[in-house]
Amino acid sequence: MSGLELLVVSGIKVVVAFAFLVLTVLVLVWVERRVVAFMQNRYGPNRAGPGGILQTLADGLKLFFKESMTPRKAQFLLYIAAPVLAVVTALLVFVVIPIGAPVTIGDTTYTLQVTDLDVGVLYILAISSLGVYAVALAGWSSGSKYPLLGSVRSAAQMISYEAALGLALVPVIMFSRTTSLAGIVEAQSGTFGGLLPAWNIVLLPSFVIFLIAGFAETNRAPFDLVEAEQEIVGGYHTEYSGMRFAFFFLAEYINMFNMAALTATFFLGGWNGPLFGPTWLRYVLPVIWFLIKSWVVVFLFIWARGTLPRIRYDQLMAFGWKRLIPVSLVWIMLAMVAIGVRRFGLPWA
Amino acid sequence: MSDTPHYPGGDRFAPTVEPPEEAVEVPTGADEFRRVHDMWVAGTEEPPWLAAATDEGAQELLPADVDPRVDTEEGSAVVDDYLERPDVPADELQIINMGPQHPSTHGVLRLHLELEGETIRRAKPIIGYLHTGMEKTAETLTYVQGATNVTRMDYLSPFHNELAFALVVEQLLGIEIPERAQAIRILMTELNRVASHLIWVATQGMDVGALSMMLYGWRERERILAFFEKVTGLRMNHNYIRVGGVAADLPDGWEDDVEDILEQVPKGIAEYEELLNENPIFLDRTVGVGVITPAECHAYGVTGPIARASGIEWDLRKAFPYSGIERYEFDVPTGQHGDVYDRYLVRMDEMKQSFRIVRQILDTIPPGDYRSDDRKVTPPPRLRIDQSMEALIHHFKLFTEGFKVPAGEAYQAVESPRGELGMYLVSNGGPKPWRLHVRTPSFAAVQALPAMLADSLIADVVATLASTDPVLGDVDR
């Protein structure tokens, strides 16, 4: 691939990925509202477009035309930088997620991800940590008390859950022997005894910890205490309006889909799945498998929101430090032993 | 219930301590009520304490040599939360106003919170944002119109307001109410208790973050409100229980509707219990949160489910039965710990007990008249107006001038879903109350908030506030 070709292909990938994410958010918001409404004996949005699917677009338009107010005491630069930071970090995470099998056209193979970093896992952890800055800065720079409480909460939450999130991925990396996301998906392509797919979900404790930490990382119920509207009104985005608020909204839903896609990639075999039919179908099917898996996890997110009460701030931290992290550490030990036994046999054998 | 959960307020909470005997006394009549509530009615003899209270320098109502943080009486645990706490430096505190415009202050309650981080060091409820002057308005309305006024105070249990008003007026009038009317009154108030508790469980769920509970509670309540609408024509503010009986007899087929409620609503309640009772997050959020001790309940005048949840077995339906409720069998559920979770359990049980009462009424309701036949109080039947001049005159007089109530004062309390709802009425013999004071349970619950909230977190504030189930229309009147 020549330099120019690489540039063009990457450019196309970036545009497609961006469009895909924005479109996903449009659908995701509608799906969430409809599903939660269904769980709560309501209809949910059903007026704009068929089944109300254009509701998000209408809401977005409304926000676009609304005045963006700035509190007098706000730190203006940080105040407007925070929503941008939120969206940018949310978009950047998606860059390394493979959404389908590599496609070969002519004699060139194109990967269905914007870029395959060798340190993909570390990159994701780094970028998602940066995302917390957006929340913390937004709360602090608003010059208001409820947002400040929200940002303090987000900082505490980040410290408590980032560690668990990273530790949950260690066994995955050990089993896949790579930190590249494409590599991790590749490592899950086989089967156990020709029957069960060799997905990392067999690392069940890791999966559960990752999912819980993911809920906390994306500020979703039952860990949505950064924006708990019953307690601190709107949390960090209380003072935001118009498009600046829309940016936070967009970022939250992109993050939610990212987390679902990452769960699918790390634990549910990514785009792996049964392949059949002509060549074009063999390229399309992986994308469909990937989407199905991601949306199943997305449904988990929505389901939790419809069911669970919100956990308290101190309980959240205690849960992170006293439960999740010790369990992850023990589980890493066990995984190490398992790998050792698999390679060298039992020590007494 | 096991004793395993850790109780942060445990040192304050000593279930073994018996509350002081004299504090249990409740007013049985107007004189007692005045004594207990330190109330003075203009025009009567001025009590001695009033002069002392208005003297110069006595505005704080507290002698200078008394430290209010120290318990002066055994069993009294009230700390004056308005005073500074010496253990927290002032520059560590941040003041935050929760309300009056806040998503979870149940209307327009304003809480002045002093935070150290997220921990509440002092809480101060500020009321008055929904003050409508209803007590004063009552002085300009006749006794016939009065029910329309009082029914708007506690808008979640309007029947209890109407009942208290009707009972206190009837006490002064000295009239007997037919048994059927009494049974209808109990039927409506007990169903109203369930409806009110359903709203409470809905908002309690929502305030700890279980959003779906909000809609579930509403769903079941809707059945009861539909029945109310069928009976009274309105979903709230019914003006149905009136002096002398009720406004109209139950409509045809009401038995089927009540049967339907008795079948469907307990199903919904069972669903909530499945969803919440053992939910670990719900337990984390409610067990040991917002604790109030029996002694504090007595000191602050807290009654109803909150007092029962802390172990005080006190229910006016048992202690001072009204409207023939002693004819029905029911239990008074109590808790042990006085926390949010026990209040939840008590209210859930109370709904079931109310269903027991409703079931018994359904089986035993006597035939008869739905209102008193005292022609000075009850308007004549419509047909009689066309036939009899006397009836027409009575009708006209009743709805223009109203009926006259003998001079005197009376106090009557009913057990509303929130606690003791009392009405204190002074009549000078005219057709309008000379003074009507309402002793509302929400008011007492809100004034006890500082005790419940001390040293808890912001998230606990919402949970505790929801568990006291205040209705701001009831607080401010």
Side-chain angles (χ1 to χ4, degrees):
Chain A
M1 231 191 284
S2 70
L4 183 68
E5 200 183 341
L6 192 68
L7 202 67
V8 171
V9 170
S10 301
I12 292 174
K13 279 178 178 176
V14 165
V15 171
V16 169
F18 180 74
F20 171 78
L21 274 182
V22 173
L23 208 65
T24 305
V25 169
L26 282 187
V27 180
L28 181 53
V29 174
W30 173 76
V31 167
E32 171 169 48
R33 291 176 66 177
R34 290 289 281 187
V35 170
V36 170
F38 173 73
M39 289 174 181
Q40 300 177 338
N41 296 295
R42 307 185 275 123
Y43 290 114
N46 63 355
R47 296 284 130 178
I53 196 159
L54 296 180
Q55 182 66 43
T56 324
L57 205 62
D59 287 344
L61 273 177
K62 180 197 75 177
L63 286 173
F64 184 78
F65 286 113
K66 275 190 131 179
E67 184 188 357
S68 280
M69 287 190 292
T70 311
R72 206 181 315 140
K73 286 188 178 175
Q75 305 278 329
F76 189 68
L77 271 182
L78 291 176
Y79 179 76
I80 53 169
V84 177
L85 187 63
V87 174
V88 168
T89 51
L91 288 171
L92 279 179
V93 171
F94 191 73
V95 163
V96 292
I97 301 176
I99 62 165
V103 177
T104 311
I105 298 170
D107 47 3
T108 326
T109 302
Y110 303 98
T111 51
L112 289 193
Q113 67 193 111
V114 176
T115 180
D116 182 23
L117 291 176
D118 288 338
V119 289
V121 174
L122 298 181
Y123 167 82
I124 285 169
L125 289 176
I127 295 292
S128 59
S129 305
L130 270 182
V132 179
Y133 274 99
V135 176
L137 287 178
W140 178 74
S141 66
S142 293
S144 173
K145 283 172 184 172
Y146 285 116
L148 184 67
L149 286 173
S151 73
V152 171
R153 282 180 173 198
S154 82
Q157 191 167 330
M158 194 268 289
I159 293 167
S160 310
Y161 279 82
E162 203 83 328
L165 193 77
L167 288 174
L169 289 178
V170 171
V172 173
I173 296 167
M174 290 195 313
F175 272 80
S176 312
R177 300 205 218 157
T178 173
T179 54
S180 140
L181 269 71
I184 289 174
V185 174
E186 205 68 55
Q188 299 177 67
S189 60
T191 53
F192 295 124
L195 248 181
L196 293 168
W199 296 350
N200 281 335
I201 196 164
V202 293
L203 305 169
L204 198 61
S206 277
F207 173 68
V208 172
I209 293 168
F210 184 81
L211 207 58
I212 294 176
F215 275 68
E217 187 73 18
T218 49
N219 299 330
R220 294 284 305 178
F223 303 111
D224 56 341
L225 30 100
V226 170
E227 48 197 286
E229 73 258 34
Q230 289 92 353
E231 294 158 23
I232 50 174
V233 190
Y236 64 96
H237 60 55
T238 307
E239 301 290 352
Y240 281 90
S241 53
M243 272 317 272
R244 292 176 195 154
F245 169 74
F247 269 34
F248 279 120
F249 201 72
L250 186 68
E252 176 177 336
Y253 280 84
I254 293 177
N255 274 329
M256 181 170 148
F257 184 76
N258 279 342
M259 199 46 79
L262 286 175
T263 315
T265 305
F266 287 134
F267 295 98
L268 303 179
W271 43 261
N272 284 307
L275 298 180
F276 47 81
T279 322
W280 66 268
L281 196 60
R282 286 170 183 275
Y283 291 140
V284 174
L285 271 177
V287 179
I288 292 175
W289 296 136
F290 170 79
L291 285 180
I292 289 178
K293 290 169 187 176
S294 304
W295 278 92
V296 166
V297 182
V298 164
F299 179 76
L300 277 182
F301 275 85
I302 297 172
W303 194 7
R305 186 184 157 202
T307 316
L308 293 175
R310 181 183 302 109
I311 201 166
R312 208 172 60 199
Y313 169 61
D314 57 323
Q315 290 160 349
L316 172 100
M317 295 218 280
F319 185 66
W321 289 107
K322 293 182 185 164
R323 302 272 188 287
L324 288 187
I325 290 176
V327 169
S328 330
L329 288 174
V330 170
W331 175 243
I332 289 171
M333 294 292 194
L334 290 177
M336 265 156 62
V337 171
I339 290 174
V341 167
R342 200 165 67 174
R343 189 171 304 169
F344 305 111
L346 293 167
W348 55 84
Chain B
M1 195 183 318
S2 72
D3 265 320
T4 37
H6 169 65
Y7 279 88
D11 50 339
R12 255 188 333 124
F13 192 82
T16 50
V17 173
E18 286 296 316
E21 272 303 313
E22 66 271 27
V24 191
E25 279 179 29
V26 294
T28 53
D31 289 337
E32 282 290 285
F33 174 75
R34 283 221 314 234
R35 184 180 68 75
V36 172
H37 293 272
D38 274 357
M39 209 186 97
W40 173 62
V41 177
T44 57
E45 191 187 338
E46 190 179 273
W49 57 263
L50 190 71
T54 48
D55 276 354
E56 195 187 347
Q59 296 300 324
E60 295 185 359
L61 300 179
L62 205 68
D65 56 334
V66 174
D67 184 354
R69 287 185 297 271
V70 180
D71 298 349
T72 46
E73 287 172 48
E74 203 179 341
S76 160
V78 178
V79 178
D80 191 333
D81 288 279
Y82 292 41
L83 296 174
E84 276 186 38
R85 285 175 45 133
D87 51 333
V88 185
D91 55 348
E92 297 278 312
L93 291 174
Q94 138 167 271
I95 293 173
I96 200 161
N97 267 310
M98 204 176 219
Q101 275 82 39
H102 185 278
S104 48
T105 48
H106 290 239
V108 285
L109 176 66
R110 175 172 157 211
L111 285 172
H112 175 104
L113 304 174
E114 287 186 15
L115 303 179
E116 189 187 11
E118 273 214 19
T119 314
I120 309 310
R121 291 306 177 198
R122 277 196 291 169
K124 184 164 134 187
I126 299 167
I127 61 168
Y129 293 92
L130 199 59
H131 187 68
T132 43
M134 284 181 190
E135 283 180 8
K136 190 70 186 165
T137 309
E139 295 169 18
T140 65
L141 298 175
T142 66
Y143 292 102
V144 180
Q145 299 164 326
T148 342
N149 181 41
V150 292
T151 191
R152 280 159 173 77
M153 287 173 183
D154 180 351
Y155 41 78
L156 293 185
S157 59
F159 281 123
H160 290 89
N161 294 356
E162 295 170 17
L163 180 63
F165 182 73
L167 287 176
V168 75
V169 178
E170 283 157 10
Q171 192 182 321
L172 277 186
L173 282 171
I175 54 173
E176 281 298 313
I177 305 303
E179 271 192 24
R180 184 177 175 83
Q182 292 189 351
I184 294 175
R185 285 174 171 188
I186 297 295
L187 172 77
M188 298 311 263
T189 46
E190 290 308 312
L191 282 178
N192 201 169
R193 185 184 314 281
V194 177
S196 172
H197 280 356
L198 281 173
I199 281 221
W200 163 80
V201 76
T203 48
Q204 175 80 65
M206 190 188 65
D207 282 353
V208 297
L211 294 175
S212 301
M213 271 316 298
M214 185 77 178
L215 280 301
Y216 295 159
W218 247 245
R219 180 185 64 192
E220 258 67 58
R221 175 177 179 256
E222 203 55 35
R223 293 176 189 280
I224 299 179
L225 288 200
F227 176 67
F228 285 171
E229 190 178 2
K230 194 170 179 183
V231 176
T232 72
L234 289 167
R235 287 159 54 85
M236 56 199 291
N237 305 338
H238 310 278
N239 188 18
Y240 177 69
I241 298 176
R242 298 187 186 168
V243 178
V246 294
D249 206 347
L250 294 169
D252 291 343
W254 68 274
E255 292 96 342
D256 297 338
D257 294 324
V258 174
E259 282 289 357
D260 191 46
I261 289 173
L262 284 177
E263 190 182 339
Q264 298 297 332
V265 179
K267 264 190 212 164
I269 293 172
E271 244 174 60
Y272 314 152
E273 292 190 322
E274 203 172 313
L275 189 64
L276 294 178
N277 267 13
E278 316 236 315
N279 183 326
I281 301 181
F282 186 71
L283 287 177
D284 276 353
R285 288 299 306 278
T286 54
V287 171
V289 170
V291 175
I292 187 162
T293 67
E296 282 165 340
C297 281
H298 286 303
Y300 283 111
V302 175
T303 50
I306 308 172
R308 286 195 283 277
S310 57
I312 303 172
E313 200 181 336
W314 180 254
D315 190 319
L316 288 174
R317 290 175 295 174
K318 290 278 189 201
F320 297 100
Y322 51 82
S323 197
I325 200 162
E326 68 276 9
R327 285 197 284 269
Y328 308 106
E329 258 178 44
F330 64 98
D331 299 325
V332 178
T334 53
Q336 305 164 23
H337 304 105
D339 59 357
V340 176
Y341 187 65
D342 276 19
R343 277 168 230 157
Y344 161 78
L345 291 179
V346 163
R347 286 196 176 100
M348 288 309 232
D349 277 353
E350 272 181 21
M351 284 196 260
K352 293 172 193 162
Q353 296 301 330
S354 290
F355 284 131
R356 266 179 81 186
I357 300 176
V358 171
R359 161 63 62 194
Q360 293 171 52
I361 293 173
L362 196 58
D363 294 341
T364 64
I365 187 163
D369 208 353
Y370 60 90
R371 53 186 181 180
S372 151
D373 57 359
D374 188 324
R375 65 190 60 179
K376 291 293 169 201
V377 174
T378 309
R382 180 66 188 78
L383 273 178
R384 291 287 298 153
I385 299 177
D386 296 341
Q387 299 163 346
S388 146
M389 189 64 187
E390 279 292 308
L392 184 62
I393 292 171
H394 266 118
H395 187 270
F396 180 75
K397 288 285 272 184
L398 258 180
F399 286 102
T400 50
E401 191 195 34
F403 54 83
K404 292 195 166 92
V405 169
E409 47 184 314
Y411 177 77
Q412 173 71 45
V414 298
E415 183 73 26
S416 97
R418 271 153 273 278
E420 178 182 339
L421 172 74
M423 298 226 179
Y424 170 70
L425 175 74
V426 183
S427 167
N428 59 358
K432 293 171 183 172
W434 192 72
R435 175 80 173 90
L436 178 73
H437 175 79
V438 188
R439 186 264 180 230
T440 55
S442 298
F443 184 83
V446 165
Q447 80 171 347
L449 275 176
M452 294 191 227
L453 291 180
D455 297 334
S456 59
L457 295 168
I458 289 187
D460 295 336
V461 173
V462 230
T464 309
L465 182 60
S467 77
T468 58
D469 195 16
V471 169
L472 268 293
D474 196 32
V475 172
D476 285 345
R477 305 186 293 288

